[in-house]
Amino acid sequence: PCNGTKHCAPPRYKTGSHRLGFKKNMKEHIGEFYFQIIMKKIIDYQNHIVSHYDIPLTGHFVSYRGSTVNWCPIGRNATPPEREKFSHFDKSFGSSTFRRTVLEQIREEFLIAKIPAEIKLGGETSFDIYPTGWDKTFALSHFNDYEVYFLGDRCGVNGNDKEIFDALQPLNSFWVEDTKHTKRILEEVILPRIQ
C-alpha cells in the first residue's frame, strides 16, 4: 500500500493475519514545515480554481494518505458525468491541458521553495504529491523474489505511473486505456505467463 511505504508481510498460515513490517510517513519524512507549505499551496490553488472556473464541485478535495497527498480539484466524490465534464474542461486548454498547466506552476513553486516533493497527474481528475523518490517504484524493493507486473493508465510524462512503467519495461509493464483493456491484458498476456 501507499506506493510501498507500507509493507505487510503475509501470514505463515491460512488462519494468520498480515503484519505490518515496514512503514514510512510523508509528514515525518519531509517535516511538518514543508508539509504545511504543500497543504497551503493546494488550498490556494483550490480557492483560485473555484473562484475563476466553472467546474463541478463535490467536496473531499484533499486526501492525505500517509505517503502521498491526493488533490482533486472537483472532489473525490465526483460522479462519472461530473468527471467527464471536468475532463472536457481540462482538454479545452489545448495540448497543455488545464491540469498540466497547474502541475508545471506548482512544480516550479516547489523548486523555488526547495520543497522535497514531486507532483504528478493522478487518474482523470487529480494530482498526487509525494516526497521525492517515493514514486511507485518504491514498492519494488519489497518484491525482490517475485516477478512483478504493472498495469497503469498514467504512464506518460507527468503521469503518476511513469516511473514504475519504465522500470518494468519492456515485458512486465502495460499502458492500459480502461478496465476492458486491463482485463484483456490480464487474461491474454499475464495469466498465460504465470500458469
Side-chain angles (χ1 to χ4, degrees):
C2 301
N3 287 3
T5 59
K6 287 184 182 176
H7 180 255
C8 299
R12 291 185 182 176
Y13 309 101
K14 284 185 178 181
T15 57
S17 59
H18 286 75
R19 63 188 190 287
L20 184 63
F22 179 87
K23 181 179 179 183
K24 286 194 167 240
N25 178 293
M26 180 178 179
K27 275 188 195 180
E28 292 172 6
H29 186 75
I30 68 171
E32 187 68 29
F33 175 75
Y34 287 123
F35 186 80
Q36 290 297 320
I37 292 174
I38 290 169
M39 296 303 282
K40 288 174 184 177
K41 285 189 180 302
I42 292 170
I43 292 166
D44 285 346
Y45 272 91
Q46 183 68 39
N47 286 335
H48 176 80
I49 291 167
V50 168
S51 300
H52 292 84
Y53 299 101
D54 180 26
I55 61 171
L57 297 170
T58 65
H60 192 186
F61 303 107
V62 180
S63 175
Y64 174 55
R65 299 176 177 172
S67 66
T68 187
V69 172
N70 178 268
W71 169 40
C72 182
I74 64 170
R76 303 293 320 156
N77 301 332
T79 63
E82 289 167 328
R83 289 173 179 275
E84 189 173 325
K85 182 178 178 183
F86 180 76
S87 182
H88 288 300
F89 163 78
D90 189 30
K91 292 172 186 164
S92 72
F93 280 73
S95 61
S96 177
T97 76
F98 176 75
R99 285 192 309 149
R100 283 200 174 116
T101 301
V102 171
L103 179 137
E104 292 302 329
Q105 290 170 352
I106 293 175
R107 189 174 278 159
E108 183 68 25
E109 290 181 30
F110 282 9
L111 265 164
I112 292 167
K114 298 183 179 174
I115 297 171
E118 300 288 326
I119 181 168
K120 298 282 184 151
L121 299 178
E124 291 295 319
T125 60
S126 63
F127 300 88
D128 288 338
I129 302 163
Y130 51 82
T132 303
W134 284 20
D135 58 64
K136 291 182 180 181
T137 60
F138 195 99
L140 295 176
S141 64
H142 302 298
F143 298 100
N144 294 327
D145 300 330
Y146 300 93
E147 185 168 7
V148 176
Y149 293 91
F150 178 78
L151 295 90
D153 66 340
R154 291 284 164 203
C155 302
V157 176
N158 294 323
N160 65 350
D161 296 333
K162 182 177 181 9
E163 290 82 3
I164 194 165
F165 176 81
D166 289 348
L168 295 171
Q169 276 291 307
L171 300 175
N172 289 14
S173 60
F174 303 89
W175 194 332
V176 295
E177 298 165 9
D178 54 30
T179 53
K180 289 179 184 174
H181 189 206
T182 301
K183 184 176 183 228
R184 194 173 83 239
I185 295 292
L186 284 169
E187 291 174 347
E188 297 175 10
V189 180
I190 297 174
L191 287 176
R193 286 187 192 173
I194 61 176
Q195 291 178 343

PDB file of all heavy atoms in Angstrom, residues 18-52:
ATOM      1  N   HIS A  18      -1.958 -10.641   8.181  1.00  0.00           N
ATOM      2  CA  HIS A  18      -0.808  -9.877   7.702  1.00  0.00           C
ATOM      3  C   HIS A  18      -0.285  -9.021   8.849  1.00  0.00           C
ATOM      4  O   HIS A  18      -1.055  -8.534   9.676  1.00  0.00           O
ATOM      5  CB  HIS A  18      -1.224  -8.985   6.532  1.00  0.00           C
ATOM      6  CG  HIS A  18      -1.454  -9.737   5.268  1.00  0.00           C
ATOM      7  ND1 HIS A  18      -2.562 -10.507   5.051  1.00  0.00           N
ATOM      8  CD2 HIS A  18      -0.690  -9.834   4.158  1.00  0.00           C
ATOM      9  CE1 HIS A  18      -2.497 -11.047   3.854  1.00  0.00           C
ATOM     10  NE2 HIS A  18      -1.369 -10.651   3.282  1.00  0.00           N
ATOM     11  N   ARG A  19       1.011  -8.826   8.879  1.00  0.00           N
ATOM     12  CA  ARG A  19       1.594  -7.985   9.925  1.00  0.00           C
ATOM     13  C   ARG A  19       2.414  -6.871   9.279  1.00  0.00           C
ATOM     14  O   ARG A  19       3.110  -7.096   8.294  1.00  0.00           O
ATOM     15  CB  ARG A  19       2.424  -8.815  10.897  1.00  0.00           C
ATOM     16  CG  ARG A  19       3.608  -9.479  10.308  1.00  0.00           C
ATOM     17  CD  ARG A  19       4.288 -10.449  11.298  1.00  0.00           C
ATOM     18  NE  ARG A  19       5.553 -10.895  10.778  1.00  0.00           N
ATOM     19  CZ  ARG A  19       5.703 -11.750   9.776  1.00  0.00           C
ATOM     20  NH1 ARG A  19       4.657 -12.256   9.181  1.00  0.00           N
ATOM     21  NH2 ARG A  19       6.904 -12.087   9.358  1.00  0.00           N
ATOM     22  N   LEU A  20       2.262  -5.690   9.824  1.00  0.00           N
ATOM     23  CA  LEU A  20       2.970  -4.527   9.302  1.00  0.00           C
ATOM     24  C   LEU A  20       4.450  -4.662   9.627  1.00  0.00           C
ATOM     25  O   LEU A  20       4.843  -4.766  10.787  1.00  0.00           O
ATOM     26  CB  LEU A  20       2.397  -3.247   9.926  1.00  0.00           C
ATOM     27  CG  LEU A  20       2.957  -1.933   9.407  1.00  0.00           C
ATOM     28  CD1 LEU A  20       2.640  -1.751   7.927  1.00  0.00           C
ATOM     29  CD2 LEU A  20       2.390  -0.761  10.206  1.00  0.00           C
ATOM     30  N   GLY A  21       5.269  -4.703   8.588  1.00  0.00           N
ATOM     31  CA  GLY A  21       6.701  -4.872   8.793  1.00  0.00           C
ATOM     32  C   GLY A  21       7.520  -3.647   8.428  1.00  0.00           C
ATOM     33  O   GLY A  21       8.694  -3.550   8.756  1.00  0.00           O
ATOM     34  N   PHE A  22       6.893  -2.694   7.740  1.00  0.00           N
ATOM     35  CA  PHE A  22       7.628  -1.530   7.262  1.00  0.00           C
ATOM     36  C   PHE A  22       6.633  -0.401   7.058  1.00  0.00           C
ATOM     37  O   PHE A  22       5.554  -0.616   6.505  1.00  0.00           O
ATOM     38  CB  PHE A  22       8.303  -1.879   5.931  1.00  0.00           C
ATOM     39  CG  PHE A  22       9.071  -0.759   5.299  1.00  0.00           C
ATOM     40  CD1 PHE A  22      10.391  -0.536   5.631  1.00  0.00           C
ATOM     41  CD2 PHE A  22       8.465   0.064   4.361  1.00  0.00           C
ATOM     42  CE1 PHE A  22      11.100   0.497   5.035  1.00  0.00           C
ATOM     43  CE2 PHE A  22       9.167   1.088   3.764  1.00  0.00           C
ATOM     44  CZ  PHE A  22      10.494   1.296   4.103  1.00  0.00           C
ATOM     45  N   LYS A  23       6.971   0.793   7.515  1.00  0.00           N
ATOM     46  CA  LYS A  23       6.065   1.930   7.346  1.00  0.00           C
ATOM     47  C   LYS A  23       6.863   3.226   7.320  1.00  0.00           C
ATOM     48  O   LYS A  23       7.741   3.442   8.150  1.00  0.00           O
ATOM     49  CB  LYS A  23       5.053   1.956   8.491  1.00  0.00           C
ATOM     50  CG  LYS A  23       4.051   3.083   8.385  1.00  0.00           C
ATOM     51  CD  LYS A  23       3.061   3.034   9.538  1.00  0.00           C
ATOM     52  CE  LYS A  23       2.075   4.169   9.462  1.00  0.00           C
ATOM     53  NZ  LYS A  23       1.157   4.169  10.593  1.00  0.00           N
ATOM     54  N   LYS A  24       6.556   4.073   6.346  1.00  0.00           N
ATOM     55  CA  LYS A  24       7.127   5.418   6.266  1.00  0.00           C
ATOM     56  C   LYS A  24       5.972   6.400   6.150  1.00  0.00           C
ATOM     57  O   LYS A  24       4.906   6.068   5.657  1.00  0.00           O
ATOM     58  CB  LYS A  24       8.060   5.553   5.072  1.00  0.00           C
ATOM     59  CG  LYS A  24       9.377   4.855   5.267  1.00  0.00           C
ATOM     60  CD  LYS A  24      10.355   5.317   4.214  1.00  0.00           C
ATOM     61  CE  LYS A  24      11.732   4.867   4.585  1.00  0.00           C
ATOM     62  NZ  LYS A  24      12.646   5.968   4.749  1.00  0.00           N
ATOM     63  N   ASN A  25       6.204   7.627   6.579  1.00  0.00           N
ATOM     64  CA  ASN A  25       5.168   8.631   6.642  1.00  0.00           C
ATOM     65  C   ASN A  25       5.677   9.914   6.006  1.00  0.00           C
ATOM     66  O   ASN A  25       6.769  10.379   6.336  1.00  0.00           O
ATOM     67  CB  ASN A  25       4.821   8.829   8.124  1.00  0.00           C
ATOM     68  CG  ASN A  25       3.799   9.886   8.353  1.00  0.00           C
ATOM     69  OD1 ASN A  25       4.055  11.073   8.125  1.00  0.00           O
ATOM     70  ND2 ASN A  25       2.645   9.477   8.831  1.00  0.00           N
ATOM     71  N   MET A  26       4.884  10.507   5.123  1.00  0.00           N
ATOM     72  CA  MET A  26       5.281  11.714   4.406  1.00  0.00           C
ATOM     73  C   MET A  26       5.577  12.879   5.346  1.00  0.00           C
ATOM     74  O   MET A  26       6.588  13.563   5.195  1.00  0.00           O
ATOM     75  CB  MET A  26       4.189  12.103   3.410  1.00  0.00           C
ATOM     76  CG  MET A  26       4.478  13.350   2.610  1.00  0.00           C
ATOM     77  SD  MET A  26       3.145  13.670   1.423  1.00  0.00           S
ATOM     78  CE  MET A  26       3.719  15.175   0.664  1.00  0.00           C
ATOM     79  N   LYS A  27       4.682  13.121   6.294  1.00  0.00           N
ATOM     80  CA  LYS A  27       4.880  14.248   7.221  1.00  0.00           C
ATOM     81  C   LYS A  27       6.197  14.126   7.969  1.00  0.00           C
ATOM     82  O   LYS A  27       6.942  15.096   8.097  1.00  0.00           O
ATOM     83  CB  LYS A  27       3.750  14.306   8.249  1.00  0.00           C
ATOM     84  CG  LYS A  27       2.523  15.027   7.816  1.00  0.00           C
ATOM     85  CD  LYS A  27       1.581  15.157   9.011  1.00  0.00           C
ATOM     86  CE  LYS A  27       0.203  15.542   8.601  1.00  0.00           C
ATOM     87  NZ  LYS A  27      -0.707  15.666   9.736  1.00  0.00           N
ATOM     88  N   GLU A  28       6.478  12.930   8.465  1.00  0.00           N
ATOM     89  CA  GLU A  28       7.731  12.721   9.200  1.00  0.00           C
ATOM     90  C   GLU A  28       8.937  12.834   8.284  1.00  0.00           C
ATOM     91  O   GLU A  28       9.977  13.355   8.673  1.00  0.00           O
ATOM     92  CB  GLU A  28       7.721  11.350   9.878  1.00  0.00           C
ATOM     93  CG  GLU A  28       6.717  11.253  11.010  1.00  0.00           C
ATOM     94  CD  GLU A  28       6.571   9.829  11.544  1.00  0.00           C
ATOM     95  OE1 GLU A  28       7.336   8.931  11.122  1.00  0.00           O
ATOM     96  OE2 GLU A  28       5.666   9.612  12.366  1.00  0.00           O
ATOM     97  N   HIS A  29       8.800  12.344   7.064  1.00  0.00           N
ATOM     98  CA  HIS A  29       9.928  12.320   6.132  1.00  0.00           C
ATOM     99  C   HIS A  29      10.336  13.726   5.676  1.00  0.00           C
ATOM    100  O   HIS A  29      11.521  14.047   5.664  1.00  0.00           O
ATOM    101  CB  HIS A  29       9.592  11.444   4.925  1.00  0.00           C
ATOM    102  CG  HIS A  29      10.730  11.250   3.995  1.00  0.00           C
ATOM    103  ND1 HIS A  29      11.793  10.421   4.274  1.00  0.00           N
ATOM    104  CD2 HIS A  29      10.985  11.793   2.777  1.00  0.00           C
ATOM    105  CE1 HIS A  29      12.649  10.454   3.278  1.00  0.00           C
ATOM    106  NE2 HIS A  29      12.177  11.284   2.353  1.00  0.00           N
ATOM    107  N   ILE A  30       9.367  14.551   5.269  1.00  0.00           N
ATOM    108  CA  ILE A  30       9.727  15.889   4.774  1.00  0.00           C
ATOM    109  C   ILE A  30       9.651  16.949   5.867  1.00  0.00           C
ATOM    110  O   ILE A  30      10.161  18.050   5.697  1.00  0.00           O
ATOM    111  CB  ILE A  30       8.871  16.320   3.562  1.00  0.00           C
ATOM    112  CG1 ILE A  30       7.417  16.550   3.956  1.00  0.00           C
ATOM    113  CG2 ILE A  30       9.004  15.341   2.430  1.00  0.00           C
ATOM    114  CD1 ILE A  30       6.567  17.185   2.872  1.00  0.00           C
ATOM    115  N   GLY A  31       8.997  16.637   6.961  1.00  0.00           N
ATOM    116  CA  GLY A  31       8.870  17.588   8.062  1.00  0.00           C
ATOM    117  C   GLY A  31       7.575  18.380   7.990  1.00  0.00           C
ATOM    118  O   GLY A  31       7.031  18.634   6.913  1.00  0.00           O
ATOM    119  N   GLU A  32       7.104  18.758   9.161  1.00  0.00           N
ATOM    120  CA  GLU A  32       5.839  19.490   9.274  1.00  0.00           C
ATOM    121  C   GLU A  32       5.886  20.819   8.518  1.00  0.00           C
ATOM    122  O   GLU A  32       4.895  21.242   7.915  1.00  0.00           O
ATOM    123  CB  GLU A  32       5.512  19.726  10.751  1.00  0.00           C
ATOM    124  CG  GLU A  32       4.150  20.315  11.012  1.00  0.00           C
ATOM    125  CD  GLU A  32       2.997  19.368  10.694  1.00  0.00           C
ATOM    126  OE1 GLU A  32       3.163  18.148  10.779  1.00  0.00           O
ATOM    127  OE2 GLU A  32       1.910  19.890  10.350  1.00  0.00           O
ATOM    128  N   PHE A  33       7.039  21.505   8.534  1.00  0.00           N
ATOM    129  CA  PHE A  33       7.183  22.796   7.866  1.00  0.00           C
ATOM    130  C   PHE A  33       6.855  22.682   6.377  1.00  0.00           C
ATOM    131  O   PHE A  33       6.005  23.415   5.856  1.00  0.00           O
ATOM    132  CB  PHE A  33       8.598  23.338   8.061  1.00  0.00           C
ATOM    133  CG  PHE A  33       8.875  24.606   7.314  1.00  0.00           C
ATOM    134  CD1 PHE A  33       8.365  25.818   7.759  1.00  0.00           C
ATOM    135  CD2 PHE A  33       9.629  24.586   6.148  1.00  0.00           C
ATOM    136  CE1 PHE A  33       8.614  27.004   7.062  1.00  0.00           C
ATOM    137  CE2 PHE A  33       9.879  25.758   5.441  1.00  0.00           C
ATOM    138  CZ  PHE A  33       9.378  26.960   5.901  1.00  0.00           C
ATOM    139  N   TYR A  34       7.516  21.755   5.666  1.00  0.00           N
ATOM    140  CA  TYR A  34       7.266  21.584   4.235  1.00  0.00           C
ATOM    141  C   TYR A  34       5.874  21.029   3.963  1.00  0.00           C
ATOM    142  O   TYR A  34       5.226  21.399   2.982  1.00  0.00           O
ATOM    143  CB  TYR A  34       8.319  20.676   3.599  1.00  0.00           C
ATOM    144  CG  TYR A  34       9.662  21.344   3.448  1.00  0.00           C
ATOM    145  CD1 TYR A  34      10.801  20.800   4.021  1.00  0.00           C
ATOM    146  CD2 TYR A  34       9.795  22.522   2.721  1.00  0.00           C
ATOM    147  CE1 TYR A  34      12.039  21.412   3.879  1.00  0.00           C
ATOM    148  CE2 TYR A  34      11.027  23.145   2.577  1.00  0.00           C
ATOM    149  CZ  TYR A  34      12.141  22.581   3.152  1.00  0.00           C
ATOM    150  OH  TYR A  34      13.361  23.192   3.017  1.00  0.00           O
ATOM    151  N   PHE A  35       5.405  20.142   4.829  1.00  0.00           N
ATOM    152  CA  PHE A  35       4.065  19.584   4.647  1.00  0.00           C
ATOM    153  C   PHE A  35       3.019  20.704   4.701  1.00  0.00           C
ATOM    154  O   PHE A  35       2.100  20.744   3.873  1.00  0.00           O
ATOM    155  CB  PHE A  35       3.769  18.516   5.705  1.00  0.00           C
ATOM    156  CG  PHE A  35       2.468  17.812   5.487  1.00  0.00           C
ATOM    157  CD1 PHE A  35       2.365  16.793   4.565  1.00  0.00           C
ATOM    158  CD2 PHE A  35       1.332  18.185   6.199  1.00  0.00           C
ATOM    159  CE1 PHE A  35       1.152  16.144   4.344  1.00  0.00           C
ATOM    160  CE2 PHE A  35       0.121  17.547   5.994  1.00  0.00           C
ATOM    161  CZ  PHE A  35       0.031  16.518   5.061  1.00  0.00           C
ATOM    162  N   GLN A  36       3.165  21.626   5.642  1.00  0.00           N
ATOM    163  CA  GLN A  36       2.221  22.743   5.750  1.00  0.00           C
ATOM    164  C   GLN A  36       2.279  23.656   4.520  1.00  0.00           C
ATOM    165  O   GLN A  36       1.242  24.133   4.054  1.00  0.00           O
ATOM    166  CB  GLN A  36       2.489  23.551   7.030  1.00  0.00           C
ATOM    167  CG  GLN A  36       2.116  22.826   8.300  1.00  0.00           C
ATOM    168  CD  GLN A  36       0.633  22.534   8.371  1.00  0.00           C
ATOM    169  OE1 GLN A  36      -0.207  23.353   8.003  1.00  0.00           O
ATOM    170  NE2 GLN A  36       0.294  21.342   8.845  1.00  0.00           N
ATOM    171  N   ILE A  37       3.479  23.885   3.989  1.00  0.00           N
ATOM    172  CA  ILE A  37       3.597  24.703   2.769  1.00  0.00           C
ATOM    173  C   ILE A  37       2.846  24.037   1.624  1.00  0.00           C
ATOM    174  O   ILE A  37       2.102  24.691   0.878  1.00  0.00           O
ATOM    175  CB  ILE A  37       5.084  24.927   2.392  1.00  0.00           C
ATOM    176  CG1 ILE A  37       5.764  25.823   3.419  1.00  0.00           C
ATOM    177  CG2 ILE A  37       5.192  25.540   0.993  1.00  0.00           C
ATOM    178  CD1 ILE A  37       7.256  25.984   3.212  1.00  0.00           C
ATOM    179  N   ILE A  38       3.028  22.720   1.471  1.00  0.00           N
ATOM    180  CA  ILE A  38       2.324  21.983   0.410  1.00  0.00           C
ATOM    181  C   ILE A  38       0.820  22.132   0.575  1.00  0.00           C
ATOM    182  O   ILE A  38       0.106  22.450  -0.389  1.00  0.00           O
ATOM    183  CB  ILE A  38       2.740  20.498   0.415  1.00  0.00           C
ATOM    184  CG1 ILE A  38       4.185  20.348  -0.066  1.00  0.00           C
ATOM    185  CG2 ILE A  38       1.792  19.665  -0.447  1.00  0.00           C
ATOM    186  CD1 ILE A  38       4.780  18.971   0.154  1.00  0.00           C
ATOM    187  N   MET A  39       0.322  21.901   1.775  1.00  0.00           N
ATOM    188  CA  MET A  39      -1.122  21.988   2.002  1.00  0.00           C
ATOM    189  C   MET A  39      -1.643  23.396   1.722  1.00  0.00           C
ATOM    190  O   MET A  39      -2.709  23.563   1.111  1.00  0.00           O
ATOM    191  CB  MET A  39      -1.465  21.554   3.435  1.00  0.00           C
ATOM    192  CG  MET A  39      -1.152  20.094   3.725  1.00  0.00           C
ATOM    193  SD  MET A  39      -1.963  18.945   2.609  1.00  0.00           S
ATOM    194  CE  MET A  39      -3.598  18.931   3.301  1.00  0.00           C
ATOM    195  N   LYS A  40      -0.917  24.420   2.146  1.00  0.00           N
ATOM    196  CA  LYS A  40      -1.343  25.799   1.904  1.00  0.00           C
ATOM    197  C   LYS A  40      -1.367  26.122   0.417  1.00  0.00           C
ATOM    198  O   LYS A  40      -2.281  26.807  -0.067  1.00  0.00           O
ATOM    199  CB  LYS A  40      -0.448  26.769   2.662  1.00  0.00           C
ATOM    200  CG  LYS A  40      -0.697  26.730   4.165  1.00  0.00           C
ATOM    201  CD  LYS A  40       0.294  27.591   4.926  1.00  0.00           C
ATOM    202  CE  LYS A  40       0.064  27.452   6.421  1.00  0.00           C
ATOM    203  NZ  LYS A  40       1.040  28.207   7.216  1.00  0.00           N
ATOM    204  N   LYS A  41      -0.375  25.629  -0.335  1.00  0.00           N
ATOM    205  CA  LYS A  41      -0.353  25.852  -1.785  1.00  0.00           C
ATOM    206  C   LYS A  41      -1.563  25.194  -2.451  1.00  0.00           C
ATOM    207  O   LYS A  41      -2.206  25.786  -3.319  1.00  0.00           O
ATOM    208  CB  LYS A  41       0.946  25.321  -2.397  1.00  0.00           C
ATOM    209  CG  LYS A  41       2.139  26.192  -2.131  1.00  0.00           C
ATOM    210  CD  LYS A  41       3.339  25.765  -2.924  1.00  0.00           C
ATOM    211  CE  LYS A  41       4.522  26.650  -2.628  1.00  0.00           C
ATOM    212  NZ  LYS A  41       4.300  28.062  -2.898  1.00  0.00           N
ATOM    213  N   ILE A  42      -1.868  23.971  -2.042  1.00  0.00           N
ATOM    214  CA  ILE A  42      -3.025  23.278  -2.613  1.00  0.00           C
ATOM    215  C   ILE A  42      -4.300  24.058  -2.322  1.00  0.00           C
ATOM    216  O   ILE A  42      -5.143  24.251  -3.209  1.00  0.00           O
ATOM    217  CB  ILE A  42      -3.135  21.842  -2.054  1.00  0.00           C
ATOM    218  CG1 ILE A  42      -1.981  20.986  -2.561  1.00  0.00           C
ATOM    219  CG2 ILE A  42      -4.468  21.214  -2.433  1.00  0.00           C
ATOM    220  CD1 ILE A  42      -1.885  19.640  -1.867  1.00  0.00           C
ATOM    221  N   ILE A  43      -4.455  24.516  -1.097  1.00  0.00           N
ATOM    222  CA  ILE A  43      -5.657  25.274  -0.724  1.00  0.00           C
ATOM    223  C   ILE A  43      -5.738  26.577  -1.516  1.00  0.00           C
ATOM    224  O   ILE A  43      -6.801  26.949  -1.999  1.00  0.00           O
ATOM    225  CB  ILE A  43      -5.693  25.516   0.794  1.00  0.00           C
ATOM    226  CG1 ILE A  43      -5.916  24.180   1.514  1.00  0.00           C
ATOM    227  CG2 ILE A  43      -6.771  26.524   1.171  1.00  0.00           C
ATOM    228  CD1 ILE A  43      -5.648  24.213   3.013  1.00  0.00           C
ATOM    229  N   ASP A  44      -4.598  27.258  -1.696  1.00  0.00           N
ATOM    230  CA  ASP A  44      -4.584  28.479  -2.504  1.00  0.00           C
ATOM    231  C   ASP A  44      -5.023  28.194  -3.943  1.00  0.00           C
ATOM    232  O   ASP A  44      -5.837  28.923  -4.519  1.00  0.00           O
ATOM    233  CB  ASP A  44      -3.187  29.118  -2.518  1.00  0.00           C
ATOM    234  CG  ASP A  44      -2.851  29.827  -1.222  1.00  0.00           C
ATOM    235  OD1 ASP A  44      -3.764  30.065  -0.397  1.00  0.00           O
ATOM    236  OD2 ASP A  44      -1.651  30.138  -1.018  1.00  0.00           O
ATOM    237  N   TYR A  45      -4.472  27.139  -4.530  1.00  0.00           N
ATOM    238  CA  TYR A  45      -4.845  26.784  -5.904  1.00  0.00           C
ATOM    239  C   TYR A  45      -6.314  26.384  -5.984  1.00  0.00           C
ATOM    240  O   TYR A  45      -7.015  26.747  -6.928  1.00  0.00           O
ATOM    241  CB  TYR A  45      -3.952  25.657  -6.444  1.00  0.00           C
ATOM    242  CG  TYR A  45      -2.698  26.175  -7.100  1.00  0.00           C
ATOM    243  CD1 TYR A  45      -1.532  26.357  -6.377  1.00  0.00           C
ATOM    244  CD2 TYR A  45      -2.678  26.497  -8.458  1.00  0.00           C
ATOM    245  CE1 TYR A  45      -0.378  26.839  -6.970  1.00  0.00           C
ATOM    246  CE2 TYR A  45      -1.536  26.976  -9.067  1.00  0.00           C
ATOM    247  CZ  TYR A  45      -0.386  27.144  -8.321  1.00  0.00           C
ATOM    248  OH  TYR A  45       0.741  27.629  -8.925  1.00  0.00           O
ATOM    249  N   GLN A  46      -6.783  25.627  -4.993  1.00  0.00           N
ATOM    250  CA  GLN A  46      -8.186  25.209  -4.987  1.00  0.00           C
ATOM    251  C   GLN A  46      -9.101  26.429  -4.938  1.00  0.00           C
ATOM    252  O   GLN A  46     -10.076  26.523  -5.689  1.00  0.00           O
ATOM    253  CB  GLN A  46      -8.471  24.278  -3.796  1.00  0.00           C
ATOM    254  CG  GLN A  46      -9.888  23.750  -3.753  1.00  0.00           C
ATOM    255  CD  GLN A  46     -10.202  22.783  -4.890  1.00  0.00           C
ATOM    256  OE1 GLN A  46      -9.365  21.972  -5.267  1.00  0.00           O
ATOM    257  NE2 GLN A  46     -11.396  22.877  -5.444  1.00  0.00           N
ATOM    258  N   ASN A  47      -8.778  27.388  -4.080  1.00  0.00           N
ATOM    259  CA  ASN A  47      -9.583  28.613  -3.990  1.00  0.00           C
ATOM    260  C   ASN A  47      -9.573  29.389  -5.303  1.00  0.00           C
ATOM    261  O   ASN A  47     -10.611  29.906  -5.739  1.00  0.00           O
ATOM    262  CB  ASN A  47      -9.092  29.499  -2.846  1.00  0.00           C
ATOM    263  CG  ASN A  47      -9.471  28.954  -1.494  1.00  0.00           C
ATOM    264  OD1 ASN A  47     -10.436  28.213  -1.364  1.00  0.00           O
ATOM    265  ND2 ASN A  47      -8.699  29.300  -0.473  1.00  0.00           N
ATOM    266  N   HIS A  48      -8.419  29.459  -5.953  1.00  0.00           N
ATOM    267  CA  HIS A  48      -8.321  30.159  -7.234  1.00  0.00           C
ATOM    268  C   HIS A  48      -9.183  29.463  -8.289  1.00  0.00           C
ATOM    269  O   HIS A  48      -9.936  30.116  -9.025  1.00  0.00           O
ATOM    270  CB  HIS A  48      -6.861  30.215  -7.698  1.00  0.00           C
ATOM    271  CG  HIS A  48      -6.711  30.829  -9.049  1.00  0.00           C
ATOM    272  ND1 HIS A  48      -6.726  32.183  -9.255  1.00  0.00           N
ATOM    273  CD2 HIS A  48      -6.578  30.260 -10.280  1.00  0.00           C
ATOM    274  CE1 HIS A  48      -6.594  32.429 -10.549  1.00  0.00           C
ATOM    275  NE2 HIS A  48      -6.508  31.276 -11.191  1.00  0.00           N
ATOM    276  N   ILE A  49      -9.096  28.152  -8.354  1.00  0.00           N
ATOM    277  CA  ILE A  49      -9.851  27.386  -9.347  1.00  0.00           C
ATOM    278  C   ILE A  49     -11.355  27.563  -9.124  1.00  0.00           C
ATOM    279  O   ILE A  49     -12.106  27.820 -10.064  1.00  0.00           O
ATOM    280  CB  ILE A  49      -9.445  25.898  -9.305  1.00  0.00           C
ATOM    281  CG1 ILE A  49      -8.011  25.742  -9.820  1.00  0.00           C
ATOM    282  CG2 ILE A  49     -10.405  25.035 -10.110  1.00  0.00           C
ATOM    283  CD1 ILE A  49      -7.396  24.388  -9.534  1.00  0.00           C
ATOM    284  N   VAL A  50     -11.778  27.450  -7.873  1.00  0.00           N
ATOM    285  CA  VAL A  50     -13.204  27.588  -7.547  1.00  0.00           C
ATOM    286  C   VAL A  50     -13.704  28.987  -7.912  1.00  0.00           C
ATOM    287  O   VAL A  50     -14.827  29.152  -8.397  1.00  0.00           O
ATOM    288  CB  VAL A  50     -13.438  27.298  -6.046  1.00  0.00           C
ATOM    289  CG1 VAL A  50     -14.822  27.712  -5.605  1.00  0.00           C
ATOM    290  CG2 VAL A  50     -13.203  25.822  -5.753  1.00  0.00           C
ATOM    291  N   SER A  51     -12.873  29.982  -7.695  1.00  0.00           N
ATOM    292  CA  SER A  51     -13.279  31.373  -7.954  1.00  0.00           C
ATOM    293  C   SER A  51     -13.308  31.742  -9.429  1.00  0.00           C
ATOM    294  O   SER A  51     -14.053  32.626  -9.827  1.00  0.00           O
ATOM    295  CB  SER A  51     -12.322  32.337  -7.246  1.00  0.00           C
ATOM    296  OG  SER A  51     -12.339  32.122  -5.865  1.00  0.00           O
ATOM    297  N   HIS A  52     -12.498  31.076 -10.252  1.00  0.00           N
ATOM    298  CA  HIS A  52     -12.325  31.522 -11.627  1.00  0.00           C
ATOM    299  C   HIS A  52     -12.859  30.578 -12.704  1.00  0.00           C
ATOM    300  O   HIS A  52     -12.928  30.956 -13.869  1.00  0.00           O
ATOM    301  CB  HIS A  52     -10.841  31.793 -11.902  1.00  0.00           C
ATOM    302  CG  HIS A  52     -10.317  32.966 -11.155  1.00  0.00           C
ATOM    303  ND1 HIS A  52      -9.862  32.904  -9.860  1.00  0.00           N
ATOM    304  CD2 HIS A  52     -10.206  34.263 -11.519  1.00  0.00           C
ATOM    305  CE1 HIS A  52      -9.474  34.092  -9.453  1.00  0.00           C
ATOM    306  NE2 HIS A  52      -9.676  34.949 -10.438  1.00  0.00           N
TER     307      HIS A  52
END
